[in-house]
Amino acid sequence: MDFYDESWLIWLEADSVIRRQTGGKKSLDDFCRSFHGAPSTGPKLVTYTFDDVETAMNSIAPYDWRKFFRDRLDYIGPRAPLGGIEGGGWKLVYNETPNDHIQAADRVSGEITMEYSLGMNVGRDGAVLDVVPGMAAAESGLAPGMRLQTINGKAWSAEALHDAVRSTKGGGAPIELVADNDGFSKPYHVTYRGGELYPHLARIEGQPDILSDILKSLTPVTSAK
C-alpha cells in the first residue's frame, strides 16, 4: 500500500520538475491532457508502456525522465520520496503539535496517532492497531492485536499515553507498557527519547513556492447560480 501512496509524491515531484523546466508555462496537467485526453471514444482498453510515458513527458518538458522514474521506482529507500515537496519550496519538519489532519482524523476515529514518535497507532480501547518496523514500539516487541493495559503503572487511557510520551522529551527512563496478548499479560519497555512528534510543512527560505501553485491548481472551481 505504501507504494501507491508514494506514487503521489513521485508525480508531485514530476509536476515540480515540469514547472521548473518550462518556467511555469506547463505542468503535469499538460501531460495528463496529452496522454489521457482526446480523442473521446466509448469505453475501450488502451495499453501503454514505460517508453510511451517517457516520450509523452519529454514532449511536455525535455528532461531525463527515464532516469527520474527508474531511480524512484526501482530503489527502495528508508524514507518517502520528498523531492516534490522540497523542490516545491517546502520541507518536512516535526514538532509536538498535532497537525490539523491528524487532529481531525483522531477525533473522528478515536485513535491515538503515535506513529511518528513511538511508531504505533492505538485505538480508543488501548488496542494496538499498527506498529512501524524499526521504530521504538516494534523494537520493544509490541505488535498489532495486543491491547495496552497500563502505562508506567497507570491504567490505560489516552491521556496516560500522551503524558508518558511527552515525558520522554530530552531524556528519561523507557516507557513501561503492560499489554495483553491473547489473554497473556506482559511488560514491554519502550526506549524512546523524543517526546510527541507530528509532521508539518515549513517553507524553505529563498526558494519559489511551487507547491502552493500546484495545490491551487487542484482547488475545485465553483460557480454561483
Side-chain angles (χ1 to χ4, degrees):
M1 189 64 186
D2 289 343
F3 287 100
Y4 289 98
D5 292 341
E6 288 192 10
S7 69
W8 303 339
L9 294 173
I10 293 174
W11 284 108
L12 174 64
E13 185 176 2
D15 197 349
S16 67
V17 170
I18 291 173
R19 291 169 189 259
R20 287 199 307 271
Q21 291 295 107
T22 64
K25 295 178 181 178
K26 293 184 179 180
S27 72
L28 190 63
D29 289 342
D30 294 282
F31 163 76
C32 291
R33 280 190 289 266
S34 170
F35 198 72
H36 300 292
S40 179
T41 67
K44 65 177 182 178
L45 178 65
V46 180
T47 62
Y48 60 89
T49 66
F50 182 92
D51 290 342
D52 294 331
V53 174
E54 179 190 10
T55 299
M57 290 291 284
N58 273 309
S59 71
I60 302 300
Y63 193 69
D64 191 350
W65 290 111
R66 177 168 293 272
K67 183 177 188 306
F68 175 90
F69 285 113
R70 288 270 70 98
D71 285 351
R72 288 152 184 79
L73 295 173
D74 298 340
Y75 171 70
I76 299 177
R79 64 173 219 171
L82 301 179
I85 294 173
E86 295 165 352
W90 294 76
K91 60 184 176 181
L92 183 64
V93 299
Y94 295 86
N95 61 40
E96 65 274 13
T97 303
N99 61 48
D100 292 342
H101 173 75
I102 288 176
Q103 284 184 318
D106 286 0
R107 186 165 54 248
V108 171
S109 67
E111 296 179 12
I112 300 95
T113 298
M114 293 288 176
E115 63 183 283
Y116 306 102
S117 51
L118 299 185
M120 70 175 181
N121 291 332
V122 184
R124 66 183 74 197
D125 58 353
V128 179
L129 304 175
D130 194 18
V131 299
V132 181
M135 294 187 70
E139 291 296 300
S140 76
L142 288 165
M146 296 181 180
R147 189 180 306 277
L148 302 182
Q149 296 174 309
T150 67
I151 302 157
N152 287 340
K154 296 181 180 180
W156 155 257
S157 72
E159 192 54 41
L161 180 60
H162 282 292
D163 287 343
V165 177
R166 292 186 193 115
S167 71
T168 67
K169 188 173 182 179
I175 301 173
E176 183 175 301
L177 304 175
V178 174
D180 172 82
N181 184 14
D182 197 24
F184 296 91
S185 294
K186 177 183 173 180
Y188 296 85
H189 301 279
V190 182
T191 301
Y192 174 70
R193 298 287 186 272
E196 289 196 302
L197 291 176
Y198 302 96
H200 297 265
L201 292 181
R203 283 283 287 122
I204 299 175
E205 293 185 13
Q207 289 195 21
D209 187 1
I210 296 175
L211 183 59
S212 290
D213 291 337
I214 293 174
L215 294 177
K216 287 176 185 176
S217 70
L218 300 178
T219 303
V221 177
T222 58
S223 59
K225 294 184 179 180

